[in-house]
Amino acid sequence: MARNQRKYSEEFKNTVVELYNSGKSLSELSSEYGISKSTINGWIKNSRPLVIDEGEIITMKEYRALK
């Protein structure tokens, strides 16, 4: 288990991802919030939509939960 591991709320994660999607860079977000780029990148990856069937879209996080 990682040392100094912090828990972030889903709302906070979604806010950071929305800021990234609106044009802020990983570096800016990392500096501003004190979160590693790899952590933010993971949140972005988990929130990307996946098309699983005709017109049905879920996020990677939802897919993993179903699996």
Side-chain angles (χ1 to χ4, degrees):
M1 182 172 238
R3 297 177 295 169
N4 301 325
Q5 188 174 15
R6 293 188 273 178
K7 288 273 188 176
Y8 299 98
S9 70
E10 287 302 313
E11 183 180 359
F12 178 76
K13 292 176 187 180
N14 292 336
T15 300
V16 172
V17 170
E18 287 175 24
L19 289 169
Y20 174 80
N21 290 336
S22 68
K24 281 212 168 199
S25 71
L26 281 175
S27 296
E28 289 174 316
L29 292 168
S30 177
S31 296
E32 188 172 335
Y33 293 102
I35 304 167
S36 73
K37 292 178 191 176
S38 62
T39 297
I40 297 170
N41 225 5
W43 297 346
I44 293 165
K45 183 179 177 183
N46 284 335
S47 70
R48 283 196 184 117
L50 297 171
V51 177
I52 57 169
D53 205 5
E54 292 179 34
E56 191 172 352
I57 299 172
I58 62 172
T59 64
M60 180 61 81
K61 184 176 181 178
E62 292 169 334
Y63 172 76
R64 286 187 184 131
L66 290 171
K67 197 173 177 186

